[in-house]
Amino acid sequence: MNEIFPPAAINTEAPPAPAHPDGARGPLGPASWYARPAARHWTAPTAPPAPTAAHAFHAALPDYAPTRLVELPSLAAELGVGRVFVKDESSRLGLPAFKALGASWALHRVLAERGGATAGATGAAEPVDAGAGAGYGPIGAAAGPAGTGAVAGAAEPVTFVTATDGNHGRAVARIARLLGQRAHVFVSRGVHPEAVAAIEGEGARVTRVAGPYDLAVREAARAVEDAGDGPGAGSGSGREASPTVLVQDSGRPGYERIPGWIVEGYATLFAEIDAQLAAAGAGAPDLVAIPVGVGSLAQAAVTHYRAPAPDTGAGAGAGPALLAVEPEAAACVLESLRRGERVSIATGDTAMAGLNCGTPSSLAWPALRAGLDAAVAVSEARAARAVRDLAALGVPSGPCGAASLAGVRAALTGDGAADRRAALGLGPTATLVLLSTEGPAANPHGQDPSAHGQSAEPHGQDPNAYSRTPDPYEPDTRHHEPDTHPYGPGSTPHGPATHPEA
């Protein structure tokens, strides 16, 4: 049997590599900062696929409402810029994180291709049009319970299989339940028990994996393979549609359509930001800070802000600076940018559980390499402070969501800040948008330092610094892959796709 997501090749001898030649690094150091100012002048080769249809789909859902864009003048004063806005994703389609945007659109597209209809708000089958944005509304409180077979003409309900660090799995489970389908979610040993219970509360079957997230991803893929359904089932791959479908947001050759649909679903978030900034009289942002795991949300940001002009197809001029923010314990995108190729890294413990990813998505990587202006890695203490400060300002955020504030603070303050501001093109009147991708309920790790392999006893002078327990399942390895992709020479890199979280 071929493994869909094989383990990364191991290279324990890899020495630190020099920074990519077109990147400039500030005094934060090579492990914490990377900048490539030319990125904001780059134009994506094609227009964003189907963002209008995804937005129309979401807007027709019974529970849909744009999430808040909150202006925080005190942060603008602290950071020395004109205006700061925070996109608050603590309540999105009834869930405490943004993930439902991608999951709902992807499941909708899968079911539309399989049967041409999904369960509507009344529980009856309604026609769908994946491209037009009309006649939607397939998810509603009155939809039948899991297992009712809501797809018109389907012999049995679909089982959607996924692996998760919490938010993605719960979103898939919730949407599957509301569509009358089933969900099977694989969770690694690092997922908080409350997050596991929330997934089970959505009616999903949960399989706990005694290992890191990479292993959970492989086990989920193997479950689909063992069912004879492969990664492309139900996704237009040419394989016969089957009742088990893998739903991950990291792609690899042979498995790209469903991850692509998930990224398309995230476009709704950026369409909302555009409208909300215009309503606030702020115009286009000068910087957008994005918490990054494997890079799917960042891919959506690059796709949105680096899109060619709709009329001419040419570049639309300099867009906002796009800043990727990762935990110091899991900065795989930063390290890949530094090396100029997609690499796998060994990860450590972090309260930013949804960002604890060791390998960038092969689907996202070409856009990240070409379109990200900068990347920064933040400490646990910075993230904890950002959680507290956002809460005091009326924005409930978990550690992953607050990472955006922690990253902006790291970039714009302290030694070398002037150089980093210049690299980001930020002046005193700049407008910043920080994506707070989850609320506190999404990630109990931020409230319970004893979870996720951390000791509850602080050490040193920083009460937010906790000792780390070594992860016996995480090898200290690094893996290199050739840098070939459609935005440069060659094509998309063929390598392992792991950690399909934000």
Side-chain angles (χ1 to χ4, degrees):
M1 181 185 71
N2 293 326
E3 195 166 32
I4 298 169
F5 289 106
I10 301 302
N11 178 5
T12 59
E13 304 298 328
H20 194 262
D22 61 2
R25 291 174 286 141
L28 276 173
S32 300
W33 173 254
Y34 169 93
R36 180 177 175 268
R40 80 194 60 132
H41 299 280
W42 175 78
T43 301
T46 57
T52 303
H55 191 193
F57 165 78
H58 290 133
L61 299 181
D63 292 336
Y64 173 78
T67 55
R68 299 189 305 160
L69 187 70
V70 184
E71 183 166 14
L72 299 176
S74 63
L75 287 184
E78 173 194 336
L79 297 169
V81 296
R83 304 178 77 173
V84 171
F85 296 86
V86 176
K87 184 64 167 169
D88 176 10
E89 291 291 313
S90 62
S91 179
R92 170 66 78 175
L93 294 174
L95 293 174
F98 77 102
K99 290 288 187 176
L101 290 173
S104 60
W105 178 241
L107 268 61
H108 162 75
R109 291 299 305 270
V110 169
L111 295 177
E113 285 203 344
R114 291 178 57 85
T118 53
T122 63
E126 296 181 359
V128 296
D129 179 349
Y136 288 115
I139 302 171
T148 58
V151 181
E156 58 182 303
V158 175
T159 297
F160 293 102
V161 180
T162 194
T164 190
D165 267 335
N167 293 333
H168 175 69
R170 186 178 179 187
V172 169
R174 168 70 65 87
I175 302 304
R177 175 173 64 82
L178 293 178
L179 288 170
Q181 310 303 309
R182 297 170 177 160
H184 184 184
V185 181
F186 288 74
V187 298
S188 68
R189 73 173 188 88
V191 177
H192 195 284
E194 291 182 23
V196 176
I199 296 169
E200 291 175 324
E202 302 293 349
R205 173 187 173 191
V206 170
T207 296
R208 294 168 174 81
V209 177
Y213 196 82
D214 294 45
L215 182 59
V217 172
R218 293 196 293 271
E219 290 297 321
R222 186 179 291 113
V224 176
E225 185 79 1
D226 289 347
D229 301 334
S235 64
S237 65
R239 300 186 60 162
E240 182 179 354
S242 59
T244 304
V245 177
L246 184 68
V247 182
Q248 298 285 184
D249 65 359
S250 262
R252 59 163 302 174
Y255 182 69
E256 295 178 344
R257 294 193 75 201
I258 289 175
W261 289 336
I262 291 173
V263 173
E264 285 178 13
Y266 296 156
T268 293
L269 186 153
F270 298 102
E272 291 176 359
I273 290 173
D274 288 348
Q276 290 167 324
L277 286 176
D286 297 292
L287 178 141
V288 179
I290 311 145
V292 170
V294 297
S296 296
L297 181 61
Q299 179 188 355
V302 171
T303 301
H304 180 81
Y305 291 110
R306 307 290 187 241
D311 297 331
T312 66
L322 302 178
L323 174 67
V325 185
E326 298 172 282
E328 288 179 345
C332 64
V333 168
L334 172 62
E335 183 64 11
S336 295
L337 291 170
R338 288 182 58 244
R339 293 172 180 248
E341 61 180 345
R342 189 170 76 101
V343 300
S344 296
I345 64 169
T347 62
D349 296 317
T350 175
M352 293 166 271
L355 308 182
N356 195 1
C357 305
T359 308
S361 165
S362 64
L363 187 65
W365 168 243
L368 304 185
R369 183 179 186 272
L372 283 177
D373 293 76
V376 65
V378 298
S379 68
E380 300 299 297
R382 281 186 183 271
R385 177 193 169 198
V387 168
R388 294 194 305 270
D389 291 349
L390 286 174
L393 293 170
V395 179
S397 184
C400 294
S404 58
L405 172 57
V408 167
R409 280 171 163 166
L412 302 188
T413 64
D415 292 342
D419 290 339
R420 294 190 293 273
R421 284 174 181 267
L424 294 169
L426 300 181
T429 62
T431 295
L432 278 54
V433 173
L434 317 182
L435 305 187
S436 178
T437 52
E438 67 177 11
N443 184 3
H445 285 304
Q447 305 165 53
D448 179 6
S450 66
H452 206 63
Q454 293 177 320
S455 166
E457 295 300 323
H459 64 87
Q461 299 300 311
D462 184 354
N464 299 303
Y466 293 88
S467 60
R468 293 177 178 173
T469 301
D471 185 343
Y473 302 100
E474 190 71 54
D476 185 13
T477 62
R478 294 186 177 188
H479 172 61
H480 300 264
E481 295 185 357
D483 180 31
T484 56
H485 53 74
Y487 303 149
S491 58
T492 302
H494 294 193
T498 59
H499 290 297
E501 291 299 295

